[in-house]
């Protein structure tokens, strides 16, 4: 199955041109098809979520549990609508004459929920904090393009960031990058209030944002239980809230969330458990979504693991990839709700191709897998068991067991899944480099650009480079693609960069993930976006 493309990075980037986003409309999200129903504007909706890995600081949140909270509590310079198109939010204009120096003007009279102004300093200070190596922020990589950023020394203030006046600042990049404005809707680029710097630890537990929703009071985040948001009445941006708030319930399993949805105790579920893949569209007829999205699933096998470094490691990764029958798993385990991977990005991202040289390593070929494994054994005989670490609070056991069984049967080795109770624990083991096995990974795009599916994950030193992969040829092609004069030239370089990835396989692509979800009878106007997340601010709900 080959999905139709959604108009994302291509149209957005072509529209940027020399005057990036200067005239970009600040309208709201397009409404779902059909009449827009009315609801009780004070009614609170509920949605399932996972416990955030870290305190809720924008520059240190790079996973979906915390990301859903932050994108609804904060407003950035721009935001992405359901199709991935860019619209101004806090920004009044973003202009450039050369795609290297950008002048950003902020709309007047914007405030955080504690009254602090949303001004140029609130962006520049937050970005400087995120970029400084001593602060060890997971999203520091996103500031790499700005003049002054360094991986060799701590830089507390980037030379490329200048406050011009209260509502204006400039950004100078190391090189021209025409897609820079497209990135600015990602959480790493959100502003932070002046009060945050008085006690950043306390801020992470009770963040003060400037977006559509807010914490009503301290203690709104009950760890591993729930996060309660209420409407921010002072938000005047384009994402107008149609409900009274959002209760994010932090479930230990998606099966439990699905049972609550069936029982009327949950309004929206943003993923479907394996047990319901064949029935959810009939269980909630007319109230489901199953659509292509900018997300993928992979297995990362770090070079630091025994038998996975150097030539031996390349051979073993290729053997494991050939040993996996993606077509069988996506049809049987996922009931056709996933699509076998053909590259490292997503079919809905402009530049996607099924014909990148080297991509044949993703084809199921049991005989080829055995041959490559034997070549690796000639270098160093295999010992131990191949295990795949995954979080047990998500719908992962079925596919992990299926992959492990295929590896076991097709390579003749012991293989099994290694469950970790929660997503937060799973991610902490990975980010602290304490995982002793291969592990489940994946990518939900931060902004609709091919670069975003490659650079933050595989670039040397990148914050989401979980396997610590480093290849100077790949890095050079990334840089060439980012600084390309036009979109097509950049895409060509990013495709070349994938050729390097297919040889090294720092992560093994498995399949592309659909946005899947369902909702109860009391809520309407439900829509899932290009990035798989439900668009919560436009959901309406009947009153009690």
């Amino acid at each position: 199955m080959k999905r139709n493309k959604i108009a994302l990075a291509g149209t957005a980037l072509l529209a940027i041109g020399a005057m990036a986003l200067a005239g970009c409309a600040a309208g709201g999200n397009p409404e779902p098809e059909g009449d827009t129903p009315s609801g009780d504007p004070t009614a609170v909706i509920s949605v399932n979520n996972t416990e955030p890995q870290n305190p809720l600081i924008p520059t240190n949140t790079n996973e979906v549990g915390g990301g859903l909270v932050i994108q609804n509590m904060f407003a950035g310079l721009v935001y992405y609508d359901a199709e991935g198109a860019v619209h101004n939010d806090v920004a009044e204009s973003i202009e450039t004459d050369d795609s290297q120096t950008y002048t950003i003007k902020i709309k007047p009279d914007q405030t955080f929920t504690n009254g602090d102004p949303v001004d140029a300093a609130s962006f520049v200070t937050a970005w400087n904090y995120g970029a400084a190596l001593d602060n060890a922020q997971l999203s520091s990589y996103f500031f790499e393009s700005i003049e002054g950023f360094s991986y060799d020394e701590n830089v507390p203030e980037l030379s490329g960031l200048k406050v011009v006046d209260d509502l204006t600042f400039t950004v100078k990049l190391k090189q021209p990058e025409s897609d820079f404005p497209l990135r600015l809707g990602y959480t790493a680029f959100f502003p932070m209030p002046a009060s945050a710097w008085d006690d950043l630890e306390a801020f992470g537990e009770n963040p003060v944002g400037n977006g559509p929703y807010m914490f009503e009071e301290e203690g709104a985040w009950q760890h591993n239980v729930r996060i309660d948001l209420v409407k921010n009445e002072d938000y005047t941006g384009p994402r107008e809230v149609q409900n009274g708030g959002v209760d994010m319930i932090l479930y230990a399993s998606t099966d439990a969330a699905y049972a609550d949805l069936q029982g009327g105790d949950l309004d929206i579920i943003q993923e479907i458990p394996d047990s319901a893949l064949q029935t959810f569209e009939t269980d909630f007829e007319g109230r489901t979504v199953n659509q292509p999205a900018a997300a993928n699933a992979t297995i990362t096998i770090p070079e630091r693991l025994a038998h996975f470094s150097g030539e031996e490691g390349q051979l073993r990764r290729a053997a494991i990839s050939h040993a996996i029958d993606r077509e069988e798993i996506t049809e049987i385990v996922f009931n056709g709700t996933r699509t076998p991977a053909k590259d490292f990005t997503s079919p809905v991202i402009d530049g996607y191709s099924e014909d990148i040289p080297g991509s044949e390593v993703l084809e199921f070929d049991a005989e080829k897998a055995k041959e490559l494994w034997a070549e690796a054994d000639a270098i160093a005989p295999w010992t131990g068991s191949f295990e795949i670490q995954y979080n047990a609070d998500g719908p992962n056991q079925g596919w992990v067991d299926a992959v492990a069984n295929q590896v076991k049967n097709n390579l003749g080795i012991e293989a099994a899944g290694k469950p970790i109770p929660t997503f937060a624990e799973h991610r902490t083991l990975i980010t602290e480099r304490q995982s002793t096995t291969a592990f489940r990974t994946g990518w939900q795009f931060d902004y609709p650009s091919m670069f975003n599916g490659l650079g933050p994950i595989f670039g040397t030193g990148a914050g989401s480079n979980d396997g610590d992969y480093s290849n100077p040829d790949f890095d050079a092609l990334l840089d060439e693609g980012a600084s390309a004069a036009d979109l097509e030239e950049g895409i060509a370089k990013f495709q070349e960069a994938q050729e390097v990835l297919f040889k090294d396989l720092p992560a093994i692509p498995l399949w592309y993930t659909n946005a899947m979800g369902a909702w109860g009878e009391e809520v309407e106007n439900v829509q899932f976006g290009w990035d798989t997340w439900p668009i919560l601010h436009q959901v309406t709900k009947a009153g009690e």
Side-chain angles (χ1 to χ4, degrees):
M1 181 179 74
K2 186 172 182 179
R3 303 177 185 152
N4 294 323
K5 284 190 177 181
I6 296 175
L8 295 174
T11 55
L13 283 174
L14 289 173
I16 288 171
M19 299 295 287
L21 298 181
C24 188
N29 283 308
E31 301 293 341
E33 294 182 3
D35 295 333
T36 301
S38 60
D40 180 355
T42 67
V44 175
I45 63 174
S46 58
V47 63
N48 73 307
N49 199 13
T50 57
E51 171 74 6
Q53 178 190 0
N54 295 309
L56 295 169
I57 297 170
T59 52
N60 203 41
T61 299
N62 71 342
E63 44 76 34
V64 293
L68 185 64
V69 183
I70 291 209
Q71 75 156 354
N72 283 283
M73 288 190 68
F74 287 81
L77 295 166
V78 303
Y79 78 98
Y80 311 114
D81 68 19
E83 281 73 40
V86 179
H87 302 269
N88 284 354
D89 196 334
V90 171
E92 185 171 274
S93 64
I94 302 172
E95 301 178 353
T96 184
D97 292 323
D98 58 6
S99 295
Q100 183 167 6
T101 299
Y102 290 84
T103 298
I104 298 172
K105 292 185 180 296
I106 299 167
K107 295 174 183 175
D109 304 320
Q110 304 290 302
T111 63
F112 291 93
T113 55
N114 67 346
D116 284 356
V118 178
D119 53 16
S122 67
F123 283 94
V124 170
T125 304
W127 294 11
N128 276 326
Y129 180 82
L133 296 186
D134 282 1
N135 297 326
Q137 298 294 282
L138 291 173
S139 292
S140 63
Y141 177 84
F142 285 87
F143 303 102
E144 180 188 46
S145 297
I146 300 175
E147 185 181 83
F149 182 93
S150 174
Y151 284 115
D152 299 321
E153 60 177 328
N154 185 62
V155 180
E157 294 186 1
L158 298 176
S159 60
L161 294 178
K162 301 291 184 184
V163 173
V164 177
D165 57 42
D166 286 351
L167 297 179
T168 310
F169 68 102
T170 59
V171 184
K172 185 177 181 181
L173 307 181
K174 296 176 181 176
Q175 61 187 11
E177 296 183 4
S178 60
D179 78 336
F180 179 72
L182 193 63
R183 309 171 199 171
L184 298 179
Y186 178 51
T187 55
F189 295 100
F190 286 174
M192 290 174 63
S195 60
W197 312 110
D198 296 333
D199 189 340
L200 196 58
E201 183 177 351
F203 178 87
E205 289 296 316
N206 295 281
V208 174
N210 63 319
Y213 294 97
M214 59 184 282
F215 277 11
E216 183 175 26
E217 58 187 12
E218 291 191 9
W221 180 4
Q222 300 177 46
H223 289 277
N224 297 299
V225 178
R226 61 192 298 141
I227 297 174
D228 296 335
L229 306 181
V230 296
K231 179 180 179 180
N232 175 14
E233 299 289 352
D234 294 328
Y235 173 72
T236 59
R239 292 180 289 160
E240 183 179 354
V241 175
Q242 304 296 320
N243 50 67
V246 179
D247 290 344
M248 297 184 181
I249 313 302
L250 311 179
Y251 286 92
S253 74
T254 48
D255 284 291
Y258 194 80
D260 275 359
L261 184 69
Q262 290 178 306
D265 295 320
L266 183 71
D267 291 322
I268 302 170
I269 191 169
Q270 56 173 330
E271 54 187 346
I272 303 298
D274 293 347
S275 59
L277 287 176
Q278 295 185 8
T279 62
F280 80 102
E281 291 179 312
T282 52
D283 289 345
F284 298 93
E285 188 173 359
R287 290 178 282 119
T288 65
V289 63
N290 180 13
Q291 67 188 30
N296 57 42
T298 55
I299 295 173
T300 296
I301 312 174
E303 285 197 69
R304 67 175 183 271
L305 300 184
H307 297 292
F308 286 101
S309 62
E311 182 184 0
E312 181 192 358
Q314 285 185 337
L315 290 167
R316 293 202 189 279
R317 286 186 187 84
I320 290 168
S321 182
H322 280 302
I324 300 170
D325 189 340
R326 295 163 177 79
E327 294 281 354
E328 182 177 76
I329 293 175
T330 54
E331 284 302 318
I332 295 177
V333 176
F334 290 115
N335 196 43
T337 60
R338 304 289 192 275
T339 305
K342 303 294 184 182
D343 81 332
F344 284 85
T345 64
S346 163
V348 304
I349 295 296
D350 198 47
Y352 166 77
S353 172
E354 297 183 357
D355 302 312
I356 295 173
S359 61
E360 58 272 11
V361 74
L362 303 182
E363 297 172 2
F364 174 58
D365 188 335
E367 291 305 313
K368 182 69 173 179
K370 291 185 177 70
E371 291 174 10
L372 293 169
W373 197 259
E375 289 182 41
D377 279 343
I379 297 173
W382 172 257
T383 56
S385 172
F386 180 73
E387 295 182 309
I388 306 169
Q389 176 187 306
Y390 67 94
N391 56 297
D393 59 350
N396 299 306
Q397 182 179 354
W399 72 260
V400 170
D401 286 348
V403 168
N405 284 333
Q406 289 182 349
V407 169
K408 178 179 180 179
N409 294 333
N410 293 323
L411 295 180
I413 63 172
E414 290 301 314
K418 183 179 181 180
I420 304 298
T422 68
F423 181 74
E425 292 173 275
H426 168 70
R427 286 301 310 168
T428 297
L429 287 172
I430 292 170
T431 56
E432 294 184 355
R433 304 305 189 256
Q434 294 180 4
S435 296
T436 58
T437 67
F439 45 82
R440 166 197 171 255
T441 44
W443 191 249
Q444 181 174 310
F445 278 63
D446 306 307
Y447 56 92
S449 167
M450 201 174 189
F451 177 87
N452 183 241
L454 302 173
I457 316 166
F458 304 115
T460 299
S464 297
N465 187 343
D466 295 328
D468 296 318
Y469 174 69
S470 180
N471 186 314
D473 294 335
F474 174 78
D475 292 339
L477 288 165
L478 272 187
D479 287 342
E480 291 177 34
S483 61
D486 60 60
L487 180 64
E488 293 305 318
E489 182 182 342
I491 285 174
K493 291 298 180 181
F494 295 144
Q495 290 176 341
E496 284 185 53
Q498 288 197 73
E499 293 182 41
V500 178
L501 295 182
F502 278 125
K503 178 181 178 182
D504 294 340
L505 281 183
I508 297 175
L510 297 175
W511 38 77
Y512 307 115
T513 307
N514 274 16
M516 290 197 304
W519 51 93
E521 294 180 345
E522 292 188 348
V523 292
E524 297 184 78
N525 206 27
V526 180
Q527 188 177 26
F528 282 60
W530 67 279
D531 54 4
T532 78
W533 274 330
I535 301 171
L536 298 175
H537 68 267
Q538 68 182 30
V539 177
T540 56
K541 185 176 181 178
E544 297 295 336

